[in-house]
Amino acid sequence: MLRQQDVGHRIVVRRIVGIREGRPLFSDALGELVELSETHITLATDTGRLRVPVGEVHRARRVPPARRPTAAAVIALELAADEAWPAPVRARLGDWLLRGAAGWTGRANSALPVGDPDRPLPAALDAVVRWYAAQGLPALVNTPLPLAGPVGAELDARGWSARPPVLVQTAPLAALPPGRPEPPAVDLAATPSEEWLAIAAGRKGGLPDAARHVLTAVDRVRFAHLRVDGELLAVGRGTVTGDGRWLGLSLIEVLPKARRRGYAGAVIRALADWARTEGATRAFLQVEQHNTGAVALYQRLGFTTHHTYLTRVAPA
């Protein structure tokens, strides 16, 4: 049987769904284990969230993780994420993207080396360094792994350092539970309120004009506001990009005094409800691997790691 250590891993559950001629009928379910309690096993499957009473479980075990995503799948998700976090200054180096936003966040101020840079790799990296120098910014390169392994090897040889790993996590929208009708309600707006911006500024260390562009310059975007007794206690941002397939979640933030009340989950569920009406089928987010509290929250909601990336920093 399963243990708490199996939460977040891929499992198969054989359950009893009926009796025929005195013999049990079985059905198998495959998915990520979201919750394990004394009474139920909850899985996030490709078709939705499944809650199985323990009394119906005939057998349950961990199975190997799903196959590593293809290069095409990683590229498509990285481009959807770029669309959801649009830097105001942009250029191309072949297929590579060069992005600048006055230094606000690594994602909006880094090169994205996916595809062909239309020149040898050493020359491409030299061009990246020159472009960022012209912008007055340090040269950063986001390397999705293992896709950008050759880029990473060249950066290693040049003495570039690496910031902490970032997990790019995904979940089927069908696996995310719908929003709850009871309070506190989550309001979604097409533009952020000043209170919302103040919370984002506190988390990100200010909001220059470039930051406001990153946050708002997306065709389909919603800003979540969760208030209790009129006070804004939790916020979040959702975008629909990638040809309408992906809900991108970012800046999910709860004020310290209001944490551990389920408010982050409420914000995510409200944004997921909106994204479903927009035709999106999957959600993604990016979270630093060492942020164990956030990783645990997203795991409980059914998110699993699609791939990782490192932000590489040029030597001073």
Side-chain angles (χ1 to χ4, degrees):
M1 288 297 289
L2 300 171
R3 299 174 297 172
Q4 288 298 328
Q5 297 95 304
D6 297 313
V7 173
H9 292 273
R10 196 162 178 253
I11 66 166
V12 63
V13 176
R14 171 158 290 187
R15 57 186 177 130
I16 302 170
V17 294
I19 302 291
R20 179 181 296 168
E21 297 178 354
R23 295 183 177 182
L25 300 176
F26 299 107
S27 176
D28 291 341
L30 179 67
E32 305 291 338
L33 178 60
V34 175
E35 184 181 12
L36 178 62
S37 72
E38 294 181 357
T39 58
H40 287 82
I41 292 174
T42 306
L43 300 85
T45 74
D46 286 340
T47 58
R49 202 175 180 91
L50 178 64
R51 195 163 182 258
V52 182
V54 169
E56 295 179 5
V57 176
H58 175 68
R59 186 182 296 118
R61 61 184 176 88
R62 191 194 295 193
V63 296
R67 291 187 306 166
R68 178 181 291 172
T70 65
V74 173
I75 290 172
L77 182 48
E78 284 291 329
L79 293 178
D82 172 72
E83 186 184 347
W85 200 254
V89 180
R90 305 171 68 85
R92 283 195 172 270
L93 193 68
D95 294 329
W96 288 17
L97 296 176
L98 308 178
R99 307 171 291 187
W104 192 74
T105 75
R107 276 182 284 168
N109 291 274
S110 58
L112 181 61
V114 296
D116 183 2
D118 198 28
R119 65 205 69 196
L121 179 56
L125 292 174
D126 290 342
V128 168
V129 171
R130 289 194 299 270
W131 190 85
Y132 281 97
Q135 303 298 318
L137 295 170
L140 304 178
V141 177
N142 269 14
T143 54
L145 300 174
L147 177 67
V151 176
E154 178 67 20
L155 295 175
D156 287 339
R158 294 178 177 225
W160 288 47
S161 61
R163 291 179 179 174
V166 174
L167 309 179
V168 181
Q169 300 200 311
T170 63
L173 277 183
L176 298 180
R180 299 168 183 168
E182 65 267 17
V186 179
D187 297 322
L188 301 183
T191 56
S193 67
E194 290 302 316
E195 293 174 284
W196 193 104
L197 291 170
I199 291 175
R203 176 174 174 180
K204 293 294 187 181
L207 288 179
D209 289 343
R212 293 174 183 255
H213 177 96
V214 171
L215 293 173
T216 61
V218 182
D219 288 340
R220 288 190 278 180
V221 60
R222 288 295 183 271
F223 297 88
H225 302 69
L226 184 153
R227 291 184 171 87
V228 176
D229 296 329
E231 183 181 5
L232 185 61
L233 296 179
V235 299
R237 175 179 176 271
T239 57
V240 172
T241 61
D243 294 325
R245 181 189 183 200
W246 289 102
L247 163 66
L249 296 167
S250 59
L251 289 169
I252 308 298
E253 184 73 10
V254 180
L255 294 187
K257 66 180 182 180
R259 289 173 183 166
R260 301 187 183 278
R261 301 180 191 176
Y263 292 167
V267 165
I268 290 171
R269 286 190 292 267
L271 291 168
D273 289 346
W274 164 73
R276 290 186 190 100
T277 68
E278 294 289 316
T281 57
R282 295 188 67 82
F284 77 88
L285 53 85
Q286 298 172 335
V287 58
E288 290 186 349
Q289 188 176 44
H290 62 68
N291 188 350
T292 55
V295 171
L297 166 66
Y298 301 140
Q299 186 181 79
R300 290 193 297 272
L301 290 171
F303 283 86
T304 59
T305 298
H306 185 271
H307 66 276
T308 63
Y309 74 75
L310 294 176
T311 298
R312 305 299 301 269
V313 183

